[in-house]
């Protein structure tokens, strides 16, 4: 990690491939981030900004490090033994990798939804939604808890389906429902940013549509970053898209280009991007 | 022309003589295991029978079998329970330390260290217990506990100056069963699905909160069955108790005195070498009781283990 | 796009509020140790145990309070639990170190020529020398006994256990296999003294009461060793990939040859490791031998008749009946204990190395 703990980062040295888009307030600003597994450099030199209240999609071929990058945004990367990063990731201008920052606080404010739905198997639907709240609130009154559960499940478009069986175990739901339960669990703690790591890859098309529709609603409240394998999905849901690539296996992944989604899919600046989005490789 | 030959070969192959020989040999071995175990129950019952129902005149002391074995069963269960109460929380913490707190690189070595504890012969634990643990406790802890806590029945009576008490025995037994409880708990803790751990961390849980949310619910049944297996082992542990405990006849609750109910196993070890006549049969009958006791506990442990995991797997 | 990069100051501190500087726990640690050492010393002199106990508890208390004040309740709990786990682990290593330390310190004095060449058939001259405090008597008879009885147990258990494991993995389906699996579970839990009583009862029925022999000791141990061998071999055989068996069978190799030539060689490292650990388990057994093989003063190499002493039994008797003066007997007990611990440690380490080195490539 860099010793640089200065707060006021002056103007971004804008990456060459960043286009001049409309001025938006970045919630997350990444600067020269290198991500390692032990000594292996998995992702090199990422600089990007993630706009508030919008959906940013990360696309790229397998192994290009987009999931690794996503996990480094809320310090979940370091959960893996010997994994570490250097560079700066700012949340509202504050470096989340500063030595005196507690990863717990970071994750509290940047929630995450995983590739495979992972509700806690020993908890009911109700308790699953509250899992994050229980950590913080000393005592959650029953009415408060009920309200949070309803609000979060409604927010995740799941309330109608489960309101009569909140005491059933979370694992009793279908895959798509479980994933929405996990989204409800993540938004219950009201994070600022929601990271989604291929949230639909384990789901059927109907459930995928339900999640995509949900994301559309959620972006009014949350900043969403989604990793996806599915280029149509990126095109459908996101405002901005970043394309990650890898030169050859064993080399670190890196960001090729980032721009408005529309432009990325119609008129990208880099040849690799257009090759990828037109399905020529990957 | 060639077809019948091929058919014949196919029919012949699975029933070739060496093949049949080998499979029956392995089957016979498996059957021997069944025979062995029923043999244990059978021979103990046959030889122990006259120890239970035989003429009391022929035995030392004038107790009926129930009167004889009662205090021993009490002592056995008491010592084992004490050991379990000491060992389980410790084993739980050690298992968590190894699985979730220690640096990954160290974890394997630390697991090896705890396993090594299991490999030390019980006679060594016994001699160590009486030369190191007993004097240490009787000098530093027992007088104090006796002075200040004697209103609790467990700490009443005259504190032993030799340290050959139920508490010392329980503590040494705890050291001996700790590795098995630790090993099983560690195993289930390590098997906690990564997804659940990460789900918890991503919600902003601290390490301990993650453990409470994801690891403990998943591993609970494993810890319980490990503890039960440890209990089974403590029930049957012989030498450490035989060397450490100063036994008396009767039921004693106090854990700080020289008067203690003996355990079945230790009683056999102490009396068997010098026993003759019906006394031998009676000792063997107590062995049968011990066998049934630990059999029951082990069965319970397996049941807990099997019932628990199916829930977590979903 | 860079216009709004500078966030308000209030937000800046939000990630770091209530994060304890890492020097604080360290300072508390140093302080606690100092208080523990000085405090205990001023009350009762150098008592390492009490110093450690005071320091550990003080650290636990202070770090929790500090975290509660500087950070919050959740962090305080987290730090407290982390400290508790660490203390628990340290607590467990202390007896382990103590056992080894004591056994080595007490046992090394008897690692002399006499110990390895003599038995307890002591000459009258030696008896007199013992009165003077000389170290006399040896454990050769016990070493021979341990070797013979363990070998008998191994000769019974290894083929029996291995063949049973082969049956369970390669042939076993249906009732017998299920029953055997359950019975092996039960056998694992048999108290060792019960195994001894079984062997005693068995031999008594055939040879009359009061029979003691090395053979019955070996039978008792085999009852303890067999389930361990079955379990570990079964596990190893199941690790052999099915593709290997199918490849061999598809070549027209008979099933028994497939097992002997393909399956067993693939699993052999694991099986050997399991057998070694099983030997390590039974070699330290005392109780079953106390009731089956008894105790003898001299060397007896015939397992079919007469009492036979093993190292653990020798150690036990020399401790509880040390003779006059007791020091010499107790020294012999420790000597035998040290020898046992060394044997077990060697077997244990050998098993570890074996499982690492001999592991065939391609098997995880």
């Amino acid at each position: 990690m860099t010793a640089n703990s200065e707060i006021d980062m002056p103007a971004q040295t804008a990456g060459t491939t960043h286009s001049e888009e409309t001025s938006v307030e970045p919630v997350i600003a990444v600067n020269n981030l290198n991500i390692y597994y032990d000594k292996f450099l998995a992702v090199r030199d990422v600089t990007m900004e993630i706009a508030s209240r919008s959906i940013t999609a990360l696309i790229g071929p397998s192994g290009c490090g987009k999931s690794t990058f996503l996990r480094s945004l809320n310090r979940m990367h370091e959960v893996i033994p010997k994994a570490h990063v250097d560079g700066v990731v700012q949340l509202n201008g504050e470096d989340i990798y500063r030595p005196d920052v507690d990863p717990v606080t970071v994750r509290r404010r940047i929630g995450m939804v995983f590739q495979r739905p992972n509700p806690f198997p020993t908890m009911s639907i109700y308790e699953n939604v509250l899992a994050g709240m229980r950590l913080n609130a000393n005592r959650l009154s029953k009415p408060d808890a009920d309200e949070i559960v309803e609000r979060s499940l409604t927010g995740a478009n799941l309330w109608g389906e489960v309101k009569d069986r909140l005491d059933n175990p979370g694992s009793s739901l279908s895959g798509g429902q479980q994933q929405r339960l996990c989204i409800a669990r993540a938004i219950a703690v009201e994070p600022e940013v929601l990271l989604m790591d291929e949230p639909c890859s384990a789901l059927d098309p109907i459930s995928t549509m339900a999640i995509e529709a949900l994301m559309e609603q959620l972006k009014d409240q949350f900043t969403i970053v989604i990793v996806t394998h599915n280029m149509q999905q990126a095109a459908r849901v996101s405002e901005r898209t970043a394309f990650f690539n890898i030169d050859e296996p064993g080399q670190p992944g890196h960001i090729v280009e980032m721009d408005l989604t529309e432009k990325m899919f119609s008129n990208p600046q880099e040849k690799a991007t257009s090759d990828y989005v037109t399905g020529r490789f990957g | 022309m060639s077809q019948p030959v091929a058919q014949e070969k196919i029919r012949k192959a699975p029933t070739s003589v060496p093949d049949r020989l080998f499979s029956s040999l392995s089957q016979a071995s498996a059957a021997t295991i069944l025979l062995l175990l029923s043999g244990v129950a059978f021979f103990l019952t046959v030889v122990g029978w006259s120890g239970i129902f035989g003429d009391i005149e022929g035995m030392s002391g004038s107790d009926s079998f129930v009167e004889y074995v009662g205090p021993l069963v009490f002592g056995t269960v008491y010592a084992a329970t004490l050991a379990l109460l000491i060992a389980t929380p410790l084993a739980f913490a050690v298992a968590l330390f190894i699985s979730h707190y220690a640096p990954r690189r160290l974890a394997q070595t630390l697991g090896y260290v705890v396993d090594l504890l299991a490999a030390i012969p019980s006679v060594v634990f016994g001699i160590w217990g009486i030369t190191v643990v007993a004097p240490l406790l009787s000098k530093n802890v027992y007088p104090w506990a006796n002075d200040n806590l004697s209103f609790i029945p467990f700490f009443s009576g005259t504190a032993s100056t030799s340290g050959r008490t139920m508490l010392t025995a329980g503590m040494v037994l705890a050291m001996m069963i700790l590795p098995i409880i630790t090993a099983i708990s560690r195993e289930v803790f390590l098997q906690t699905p990564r997804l659940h751990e990460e789900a918890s961390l991503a919600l902003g849980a601290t390490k301990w909160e993650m453990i409470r949310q994801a690891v403990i619910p998943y591993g609970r049944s494993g810890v319980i069955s490990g503890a039960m297996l440890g209990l089974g082992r403590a029930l049957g542990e012989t030498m450490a108790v035989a060397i450490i405990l100063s036994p008396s006849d009767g039921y004693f609750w106090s854990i700080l005195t020289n008067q203690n109910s003996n355990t079945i196993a230790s009683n056999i070890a102490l009396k068997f070498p010098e026993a003759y006549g019906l006394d031998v049969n009676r000792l063997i009958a107590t062995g049968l009781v011990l066998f049934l006791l630990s059999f029951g506990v082990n069965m319970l442990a397996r049941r807990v283990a099997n019932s628990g995991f199916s829930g977590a797997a979903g | 796009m860079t216009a709004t990069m500078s966030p308000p100051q209030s937000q800046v501190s939000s990630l770091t509020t209530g994060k304890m500087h890492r020097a604080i726990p360290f300072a508390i640690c140093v302080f606690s140790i100092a208080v523990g050492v000085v405090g205990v010393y001023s009350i009762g002199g150098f008592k390492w145990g009490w110093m450690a106990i005071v320091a550990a508890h003080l650290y636990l208390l202070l770090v929790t309070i500090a975290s509660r004040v500087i950070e919050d309740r959740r962090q305080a709990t987290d730090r407290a639990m982390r400290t508790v786990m660490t203390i628990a682990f340290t607590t467990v290593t202390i007896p382990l170190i103590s056992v080894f330390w004591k056994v080595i310190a007490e046992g090394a004095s008897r690692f002399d020529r006499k110990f390895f060449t003599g038995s307890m058939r002591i000459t009258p001259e030696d008896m007199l020398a013992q009165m003077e405090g000389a170290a006399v008597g040896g454990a050769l008879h016990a070493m021979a006994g341990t070797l013979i009885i363990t070998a008998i147990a191994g000769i019974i258990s290894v083929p029996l256990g291995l063949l049973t494991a082969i049956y369970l993995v390669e042939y076993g389906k249906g009732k017998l296999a299920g029953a055997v699996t359950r019975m092996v579970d039960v056998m694992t839990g048999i108290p060792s003294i019960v195994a001894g009583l079984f062997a005693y009862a068995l031999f008594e029925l055939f040879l009359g009461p009061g029979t003691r022999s090395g053979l019955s000791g070996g039978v008792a141990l085999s009852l303890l060793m067999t389930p361990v061998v079955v379990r570990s071999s079964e596990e190893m055989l199941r690790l052999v990939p099915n593709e290997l068996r199918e490849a061999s069978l598809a070549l027209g190799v008979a099933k028994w040859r497939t097992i002997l030539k393909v399956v067993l060689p693939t699993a052999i490292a694991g099986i050997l490791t399991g057998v070694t650990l099983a030997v390590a388990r039974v070699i330290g057994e005392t109780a079953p031998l106390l009731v089956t093989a008894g105790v003898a003063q001299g060397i007896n190499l015939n397992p079919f008749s007469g009492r036979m002493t093993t190292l653990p039994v020798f150690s036990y008797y020399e401790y509880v009946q040390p003779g006059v003066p007791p020091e010499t007997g107790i020294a012999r007990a420790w000597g035998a204990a040290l020898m046992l611990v060394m044997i077990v440690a060697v077997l244990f380490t050998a098993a570890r190395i074996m499982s690492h080195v001999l592991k065939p490539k391609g098997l995880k």
Side-chain angles (χ1 to χ4, degrees):
Chain A
M1 272 164 255
T2 56
N4 177 10
S5 54
E6 286 309 309
I7 312 303
D8 286 282
M9 289 285 296
Q12 281 290 336
T13 47
T16 47
T17 56
H18 285 242
S19 74
E20 62 309 326
E21 42 182 279
T22 49
S23 163
V24 282
E25 179 184 348
V27 173
I28 292 180
V30 181
N31 208 8
N32 300 110
L33 188 69
N34 292 311
I35 310 175
Y36 299 85
Y37 291 99
D38 199 9
K39 285 172 189 115
F40 173 69
L41 177 62
V43 180
R44 73 169 153 82
D45 200 26
V46 177
T47 297
M48 85 161 54
E49 287 177 348
I50 290 164
S52 171
R53 309 257 155 122
S54 70
I55 300 178
T56 303
L58 310 179
I59 60 169
S62 300
C64 68
K66 54 195 189 302
S67 282
T68 302
F69 171 71
L70 188 78
R71 289 169 62 93
S72 71
L73 293 183
N74 69 341
R75 296 188 64 170
M76 283 299 286
H77 175 64
E78 66 201 51
V79 169
I80 296 159
K82 294 181 186 170
H84 60 104
V85 308
D86 68 48
V88 177
V89 177
Q90 288 178 319
L91 173 64
N92 290 325
E94 187 180 7
D95 185 5
I96 64 172
Y97 280 103
R98 249 169 47 181
D100 57 346
V101 169
D102 188 349
V104 168
T105 327
V106 173
R107 293 175 198 146
R108 181 62 209 259
R109 291 173 52 183
I110 307 180
M112 189 160 202
V113 175
F114 294 81
Q115 192 169 355
R116 279 176 47 210
N118 55 356
F120 295 116
T122 50
M123 294 182 193
S124 64
I125 294 171
Y126 187 89
E127 284 302 320
N128 257 295
V129 176
L130 289 178
M133 295 305 291
R134 291 263 190 248
L135 299 176
N136 252 326
N138 284 349
R139 250 174 239 91
L140 215 54
S141 74
K142 179 74 176 148
D144 284 353
D146 287 347
E147 200 236 297
I148 292 168
V149 170
E150 182 172 351
R151 175 157 40 88
S152 310
L153 285 173
T154 309
N157 280 345
L158 193 60
W159 176 247
E161 290 158 69
V162 302
K163 65 170 184 261
D164 298 323
R165 44 173 175 153
L166 292 173
D167 290 331
N168 288 13
S171 46
S172 67
L173 299 173
S174 75
Q177 289 173 325
Q178 285 190 19
Q179 193 62 299
R180 277 179 283 150
L181 176 60
C182 292
I183 294 175
R185 181 176 64 187
I187 62 179
V189 295
E190 298 180 335
E192 290 156 56
V193 182
L194 204 52
L195 306 178
M196 301 179 128
D197 188 0
E198 300 192 34
C200 302
S201 67
L203 305 181
D204 59 88
I206 307 270
S207 307
T208 302
M209 272 169 58
I211 303 264
E212 284 181 12
L214 173 59
M215 286 164 62
E216 204 54 42
Q217 293 170 23
L218 290 174
K219 75 172 184 190
D220 295 340
Q221 266 178 290
F222 304 97
T223 304
I224 296 178
V225 185
I226 176 174
V227 165
T228 177
H229 245 108
N230 181 334
M231 274 176 289
Q232 284 75 36
Q233 184 171 58
R236 278 194 299 267
V237 300
S238 70
E239 271 92 45
R240 283 171 199 78
T241 297
F243 172 54
F244 280 72
N245 201 1
I246 186 170
D247 293 338
E248 54 189 275
Q251 293 289 311
H254 56 94
I255 185 165
V256 175
E257 184 172 0
M258 180 175 182
D259 209 329
L260 291 170
T261 301
E262 228 177 319
K263 199 162 169 232
M264 285 288 279
F265 281 89
S266 58
N267 184 24
Q269 296 188 347
E270 301 287 324
K271 184 170 178 302
T273 313
S274 73
D275 284 353
Y276 184 74
V277 298
T278 53
R280 231 164 275 162
F281 76 98
Chain B
M1 179 67 204
S2 64
Q3 226 172 8
V5 177
Q7 261 178 4
E8 195 180 22
K9 266 187 184 163
I10 286 167
R11 207 176 300 135
K12 233 179 169 179
T15 54
S16 72
V17 176
D19 230 12
R20 244 183 316 172
L21 207 69
F22 190 75
S23 80
S24 9
L25 191 66
S26 74
Q27 190 162 4
S29 299
T32 310
I33 301 259
L34 290 185
L35 217 64
L36 260 178
L37 198 75
S38 32
V40 172
F42 175 73
F43 285 110
L44 289 183
T45 315
V46 167
V47 180
W49 192 264
S50 51
I52 302 176
F53 301 105
D55 186 7
I56 290 176
E57 298 298 309
M59 308 178 197
S60 53
S62 56
D63 303 333
S64 73
F65 181 70
V66 174
E67 286 171 321
Y68 181 78
V69 82
L72 295 175
V73 171
F74 170 77
T76 306
V77 174
Y78 197 28
T81 310
L82 213 56
L84 194 67
L85 288 179
I86 299 168
T88 308
L90 211 53
F92 174 79
V94 170
L96 264 185
F97 179 81
I98 294 174
S99 68
H100 282 87
Y101 283 95
R104 286 278 158 135
R105 195 176 296 188
L106 265 179
Q108 228 185 353
T109 318
L110 299 183
Y112 172 78
V113 166
V114 177
D115 288 346
L116 202 60
L117 204 59
I120 296 174
S122 62
V123 65
V124 176
F125 263 118
I127 299 178
W128 169 76
I130 198 165
T131 48
V132 177
V133 183
L136 194 76
L137 293 177
S138 66
K139 229 177 275 168
N140 293 308
V141 180
Y142 292 170
W144 175 86
N146 195 226
D147 287 346
N148 298 296
L149 300 173
S150 59
F151 59 92
I152 306 169
F154 302 118
F155 299 104
S156 62
T158 315
S160 163
T161 50
S162 66
R164 303 182 60 183
T165 68
M166 197 53 117
L167 184 56
T168 312
M171 284 174 106
V172 175
L173 276 184
M175 286 325 299
M176 301 175 72
I177 63 171
L178 187 114
I180 185 167
I181 309 179
T182 306
I184 292 172
S185 311
R186 185 184 66 198
E187 213 53 45
V188 291
F189 290 158
L190 283 174
Q191 278 170 10
T192 312
R194 223 198 150 77
L195 273 173
H196 297 152
E197 293 186 9
E198 291 191 345
S200 189
L201 289 176
L203 285 172
T206 62
K207 187 152 213 163
W208 170 245
E209 287 162 347
M210 181 272 279
I211 287 170
R212 275 190 43 189
Q213 226 167 31
V215 179
I216 292 178
Y218 184 81
R220 186 180 290 134
S221 63
V223 177
I224 294 174
S225 78
M228 300 288 275
L229 286 180
L231 180 66
R233 191 157 290 186
L235 289 172
E237 179 44 53
T238 313
M239 298 320 292
V241 183
I243 294 172
I244 292 168
L245 200 65
S246 140
S248 309
D249 279 337
Y251 300 86
F252 302 98
W253 281 105
S254 178
I255 54 174
L256 298 180
T257 69
N258 276 331
Q259 290 205 304
N260 304 287
S261 307
N262 206 352
T263 70
I264 295 176
S266 151
N267 184 59
I268 295 171
L270 293 175
K271 302 239 173 90
F272 201 91
E274 262 85 56
Y276 59 89
L278 279 177
D279 280 351
V280 173
N281 301 72
R282 186 165 60 182
L283 286 172
I284 290 178
T286 63
L288 187 63
V289 173
L290 175 62
F291 175 56
L292 295 176
L293 204 61
S294 65
F295 178 80
V297 167
N298 281 319
M299 280 293 122
L300 214 61
R302 313 247 172 235
R303 185 160 296 176
V304 170
N306 292 338
S307 71
F309 282 126
S310 53
Chain C
M1 76 179 253
T2 56
T4 50
M5 267 311 290
S6 296
Q9 202 65 30
S10 64
Q11 259 186 332
V12 167
S13 56
S14 62
L15 280 179
T16 52
T17 31
K19 173 83 177 162
M20 196 148 85
H21 195 273
R22 68 175 64 162
I24 297 177
F26 182 73
I28 294 176
C29 182
V30 171
F31 175 74
S32 305
I33 291 173
V35 170
V37 171
V38 174
V40 172
Y41 180 73
S42 60
I43 297 171
F46 269 110
K47 290 192 169 166
W48 293 111
W50 288 114
M51 287 175 184
I53 290 170
V54 170
H57 285 87
L58 193 65
Y59 175 79
L60 174 60
L61 187 73
L62 291 180
V63 92
T64 310
I65 292 174
S67 170
R68 186 78 184 79
V69 172
I70 303 172
E71 300 174 331
D72 59 10
R73 183 183 54 83
R74 298 173 54 202
Q75 294 293 346
T77 315
D78 191 51
R79 282 185 195 275
M81 291 318 292
R82 182 184 296 270
T83 313
V84 166
M85 305 291 166
T86 315
I87 292 176
F89 183 79
T90 321
T91 311
V92 168
T93 56
I94 291 169
L96 186 71
I97 294 167
S98 167
V99 169
F100 278 106
W101 169 256
K102 188 77 180 168
V103 168
I104 293 169
E106 299 279 342
S109 72
R110 275 314 314 266
F111 266 40
D112 49 33
R113 202 174 58 83
K114 258 189 185 151
F115 191 75
F116 292 96
T117 55
S119 72
M120 286 306 291
R121 284 254 158 73
I122 298 174
T123 60
E125 296 85 65
D126 273 355
M127 202 75 96
L128 288 174
Q130 171 163 331
M131 295 299 215
E132 308 282 312
V136 302
L140 186 61
H141 62 307
M143 294 172 205
T146 292
L147 214 61
I148 292 168
I149 289 179
T150 312
I152 292 172
I155 288 168
I156 299 172
S157 303
V158 174
L160 185 64
L162 188 53
L163 281 169
T164 304
I166 289 176
Y167 173 76
L168 288 177
V169 177
E170 307 291 339
Y171 295 100
K173 281 168 201 85
K175 273 188 185 154
L176 180 62
V180 170
T181 307
R182 243 169 289 134
M183 287 305 139
V184 170
D185 269 351
V186 174
M187 273 176 95
T188 323
I190 289 184
S192 63
I193 190 130
V194 172
L197 291 177
F198 158 72
Y200 176 85
L202 179 73
F203 278 73
E204 188 193 69
L205 279 185
F206 292 116
L207 302 172
T211 318
R212 300 281 201 281
S213 70
L215 182 63
S216 69
V219 169
L221 291 192
S222 72
L223 198 66
L224 298 170
M225 194 172 163
T226 306
V228 185
V229 176
V230 175
R231 262 295 114 77
S232 58
S233 310
E234 194 189 340
E235 203 173 305
M236 289 307 139
L237 291 176
R238 286 199 196 282
L239 280 181
V240 176
N242 240 343
E243 289 81 358
L244 282 183
R245 292 187 185 90
E246 283 168 1
S248 170
L249 290 174
L251 288 172
V253 179
K255 183 158 186 177
W256 71 281
R257 287 192 71 90
T258 302
I259 294 170
L260 285 185
K261 298 285 174 188
V262 177
V263 178
L264 277 184
T266 314
I268 195 69
I271 291 171
L272 282 178
T273 307
V275 169
T276 313
L277 287 176
V279 171
R281 181 190 162 184
V282 298
I283 210 164
E285 283 294 349
T286 317
L289 298 173
L290 219 53
V291 300
T292 50
V295 60
Q297 301 303 314
I299 295 175
N300 173 13
L301 297 178
N302 181 3
F304 298 102
S305 101
R307 291 159 181 263
M308 191 183 268
T309 307
T310 60
L311 277 171
V313 175
F314 174 75
S315 180
Y316 171 65
Y317 268 105
E318 290 302 317
Y319 191 83
V320 293
Q321 296 169 4
V324 185
E327 287 75 22
T328 51
I330 290 173
R332 283 191 292 263
W334 282 114
L338 174 56
M339 201 154 166
L340 259 184
V341 169
M342 280 168 59
I343 292 172
V344 171
V346 166
L347 286 173
F348 209 67
T349 315
R352 286 276 157 158
I353 294 172
M354 235 186 305
S355 70
H356 276 287
V357 174
L358 292 179
K359 187 177 285 179
K361 279 144 208 151
L363 271 189
K364 276 177 216 156

